[in-house]
């Protein structure tokens, strides 16, 4: 069950109204029939946890936790604008702010997740000074992010009711770096079967393939960006995603970035160059 948060003094909780595109009828509504109970969190996957946290939100999200992007496919972006730029030191600085209504222990979890990405890549999350483009980490409704750099103040929602955990924060930050969900990548049909019969029509868009640049990295069942096998199921326990040819492969882990997740960030941002400058020159 959700813990009561009424005793906490919080800032204004509002929807990300700026994410709406007036007149855009393609905006989808999240399902309200999520099957996952929060007491099962120790055994369920990251996607189910995110979807559980997001179930009260409607209209603003794509694929459960991606805000309507200004750049529709960050992994293939013209002129690289959707990537965060390299600094003169060859690292990639991603400025951020964290809203004041997180408790200090929650802020520590968020910053620890940032450091876990920095420790294995050339991404450096830096407290914002006066940068124009930055992540604004806020306690809004649900867990969600835009994919890639959108320009200006870019909200990342980490609701204190279900989103402030290491794996979920990594997942949302990786969206903000430019990555879509693994189960939507362009070659996914060789690795998973989508069970359309188990998916309500209103949720089918969550499973549409994207024209992604897969950076010559293997399809990764263990990616923290992979949804679990019952995400958006019509009925409790029905599989919407089944790995092939081996249906028993685990998917949807929520613990931490996989090696391939790390490899991909390093490829997208040419971090190898950075590493060689630091360690071999
Ligand atoms: Zn996501």
């Amino acid at each position: 069950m959700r813990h009561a948060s009424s005793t906490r003094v919080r800032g204004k909780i509002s929807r990300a109204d700026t994410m709406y595109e007036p007149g855009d009828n393609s905006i989808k509504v999240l399902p309200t029939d999520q099957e996952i109970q929060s007491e099962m969190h120790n055994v369920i996957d990251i996607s189910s946890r995110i979807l559980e946290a997001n179930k009260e939100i409607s209209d603003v999200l794509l694929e459960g936790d991606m805000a309507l992007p200004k750049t529709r496919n960050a992994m293939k972006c013209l002129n690289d604008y959707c990537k965060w730029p390299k600094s003169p030191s060859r690292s990639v600085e991603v400025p951020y702010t964290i809203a004041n209504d997180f408790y200090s222990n929650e802020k520590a979890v968020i910053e620890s997740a940032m450091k876990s990405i920095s420790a294995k890549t050339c991404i450096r999350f830096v407290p914002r000074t006066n940068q124009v483009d930055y992540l604004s980490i806020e306690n809004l409704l649900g867990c969600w992010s835009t994919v890639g750099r959108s320009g200006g103040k870019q909200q990342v929602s980490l609701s204190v009711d279900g989103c402030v955990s290491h794996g979920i924060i990594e997942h949302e930050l990786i969206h903000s770096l430019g990555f879509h969900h693994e189960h939507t990548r362009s070659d996914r049909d060789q690795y998973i079967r989508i069970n359309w019969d188990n998916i309500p029509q209103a949720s089918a868009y969550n499973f549409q393939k994207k024209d992604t640049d897969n950076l010559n990295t293997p399809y990764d069942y263990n990616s923290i960006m992979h949804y679990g096998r019952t995400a958006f199921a019509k009925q409790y326990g029905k599989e919407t995603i089944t790995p092939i040819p081996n249906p028993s492969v685990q998917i949807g882990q929520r613990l931490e970035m996989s090696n391939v997740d790390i490899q991909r960030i390093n490829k997208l941002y040419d971090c190898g160059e950075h590493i060689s400058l630091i360690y071999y020159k």
Side-chain angles (χ1 to χ4, degrees), residues 45-46 182-183 185 187-193 217-229 241-254 256 258-261 264:
D45 56 70
I46 185 171
E182 189 75 352
H183 76 273
R185 64 181 252 175
D187 59 352
R188 65 105 185 271
D189 291 328
Q190 299 170 50
Y191 305 97
I192 53 169
R193 185 179 66 239
T217 57
Y219 189 90
D220 184 18
Y221 294 116
N222 196 36
S223 170
I224 204 165
M225 306 309 284
H226 206 302
Y227 266 19
R229 57 181 71 229
I241 302 176
T242 303
I244 52 173
N246 179 359
S248 61
V249 172
Q250 286 207 321
I251 54 174
Q253 64 91 8
R254 62 179 167 82
E256 59 182 357
S258 69
N259 288 337
V260 178
D261 289 326
R264 264 200 275 271

Side-chain angles (χ1 to χ4, degrees), residues 65 171 175 181 227:
D65 75 329
H171 178 104
H175 276 318
H181 291 132
Y227 266 19

